[in-house]
Amino acid sequence: MVLQWSRTLGQMYRVGRQKKSEVVRDVYSFWFQSISRVPSFEVPIAPGSTRKSYAAKSEGQALEQLVNLNKMFRAKPRSLALPPGSSKRINEPNYEGIRRFILRLMLFYSKQSTSIRAANVIYRRVISQVDKPSVYDVLCLEKTFRTTFSMLMLYMWLCLRRLKVEGKEGVELGQYVYEIYNHDLEMRVSKAGVNLLLSKWMRELEKVFYGNIVAYDTAMLPEAKPDELQNAIWKNVFSDDGSPTYDATALPAVLAFSRYVRRECTCLSLTDKESMFSGNFMFTPLENPNV
């Protein structure tokens, strides 16, 4: 398999894609390192290890960041539903008269059409969080294809996990959200320069997605070890190579983000069904020092 993808990479260079080479290498590197990531064991800490994203900060900045991370994401969970008067709410169009009649004939108000519109709004909430530069700044992560894909999977898991609680109706809506995510991911991979064997790439990335879902679900089980979610987040988000060995300088961010994810799960559980199904909720911003 490695040999096969190495040959594919060589073909990409030969067809004149040098200007995208760095992004392409990032995508390929991520794929090789992610397929087998289902962390379920204790992770040792390597005190002498370093990360270039942390090393790039000055000592003062690093200390300030450490203090902030240790204080963050400890507030009491609350519903993520947007209040009725919020300018960020996206409501279903309510047409009247002949226009409404015509739209009904065109199945605009059918269950499927309504679900697709709601799924689009839900996915926009995911994207609005994942594409924020501040998310990566707070956690001292480099914004690459790999880290963006890791964040996409995590926030998709948060949404799908909450929707599944609502039974068959939630699972069906979650499927529409997943299909929109899959299309967006295909566009992102294509923009990264991976145009050869794209369908095969997408199948492999789908395996990575479900591997991550299993890892996060397992970490949230009542019988899971206390540090299991922390280990999953380290391997799937922070680790450059999928290594089970922690980077000591990254540990405060891993612990902080683990607190954030646990808290966000509780916040979503407090968010009412109508807000979830309409997409009228907002994830907690990571840059907020009071959460």
Side-chain angles (χ1 to χ4, degrees), residues 32 89 92 95 103 121 138 156 162 170 179 262 271 283:
F32 285 130
R89 287 183 65 88
E92 268 281 285
Y95 299 109
L103 288 173
V121 177
V138 168
M156 279 291 294
R162 172 61 183 87
E179 289 170 4
R262 285 193 183 278
T271 305
F283 290 106

Side-chain angles (χ1 to χ4, degrees), residues 20-291:
K20 294 184 178 179
S21 60
E22 291 186 7
V23 180
V24 172
R25 282 198 300 271
D26 182 47
V27 177
Y28 275 80
S29 175
F30 172 71
W31 182 81
F32 285 130
Q33 295 160 3
S34 300
I35 292 297
S36 61
R37 293 184 185 180
V38 184
S40 59
F41 46 85
E42 294 185 6
V43 179
I45 297 175
S49 58
T50 58
R51 278 179 62 85
K52 61 182 178 180
S53 56
Y54 277 75
K57 289 180 173 290
S58 69
E59 185 176 345
Q61 288 175 313
L63 179 59
E64 181 182 359
Q65 185 72 18
L66 175 61
V67 172
N68 288 339
L69 286 170
N70 286 336
K71 291 180 178 179
M72 293 175 77
F73 316 131
R74 298 185 183 276
K76 183 179 179 180
R78 57 176 179 78
S79 169
L80 301 181
L82 291 168
S86 173
S87 61
K88 296 180 180 178
R89 287 183 65 88
I90 301 176
N91 298 314
E92 268 281 285
N94 186 23
Y95 299 109
E96 299 292 341
I98 187 65
R99 179 179 293 183
R100 186 178 183 87
F101 176 74
I102 293 173
L103 288 173
R104 279 191 178 279
L105 291 179
M106 297 173 64
L107 302 179
F108 180 80
Y109 289 106
S110 69
K111 181 180 178 181
Q112 183 181 35
S113 295
T114 303
S115 295
I116 291 173
R117 287 195 297 276
N120 270 290
V121 177
I122 293 171
Y123 190 66
R124 283 169 63 180
R125 303 303 185 190
V126 171
I127 291 301
S128 67
Q129 186 80 343
V130 170
D131 286 343
K132 285 181 181 176
S134 56
V135 171
Y136 306 91
D137 292 341
V138 168
L139 299 174
C140 297
L141 289 169
E142 294 180 80
K143 194 175 188 300
T144 63
F145 175 88
R146 180 196 171 283
T147 53
T148 300
F149 180 46
S150 298
M151 287 291 182
L152 269 175
M153 289 188 291
L154 191 144
Y155 279 99
M156 279 291 294
W157 167 72
L158 286 170
C159 285
L160 297 179
R161 184 175 186 270
R162 172 61 183 87
L163 291 174
K164 188 168 64 173
V165 173
E166 302 297 339
K168 181 181 178 181
E169 192 179 1
V171 171
E172 289 177 352
L173 179 56
Q175 182 60 39
Y176 285 117
V177 178
Y178 177 77
E179 289 170 4
I180 295 167
Y181 149 82
N182 214 39
H183 176 71
D184 178 54
L185 179 62
E186 184 173 341
M187 298 297 291
R188 289 171 183 259
V189 172
S190 182
K191 282 183 179 180
V194 181
N195 295 311
L196 296 175
L197 302 175
L198 181 59
S199 60
K200 186 167 185 176
W201 262 99
M202 295 304 297
R203 288 195 298 271
E204 298 299 343
L205 291 177
E206 184 178 34
K207 293 178 185 178
V208 179
F209 177 86
Y210 284 112
N212 276 249
I213 294 293
V214 170
Y216 293 136
D217 275 343
T218 302
M220 295 299 290
L221 292 174
E223 63 271 22
K225 296 178 182 178
D227 61 350
E228 196 153 352
L229 179 62
Q230 171 186 325
N231 295 343
I233 287 173
W234 159 253
K235 291 194 70 178
N236 296 321
V237 178
F238 286 85
S239 177
D240 289 328
D241 57 2
S243 168
T245 303
Y246 270 123
D247 181 328
T249 55
L251 184 58
V254 175
L255 293 173
F257 195 46
S258 299
R259 289 196 302 273
Y260 172 86
V261 171
R262 285 193 183 278
R263 182 179 181 277
E264 211 68 352
C265 282
T266 305
C267 290
L268 285 167
S269 70
L270 297 173
T271 305
D272 63 279
K273 177 181 176 180
E274 191 280 329
S275 296
M276 289 300 307
F277 275 51
S278 63
N280 283 314
F281 65 92
M282 291 289 288
F283 290 106
T284 307
L286 272 80
E287 64 270 24
N288 186 347
N290 298 316
V291 299

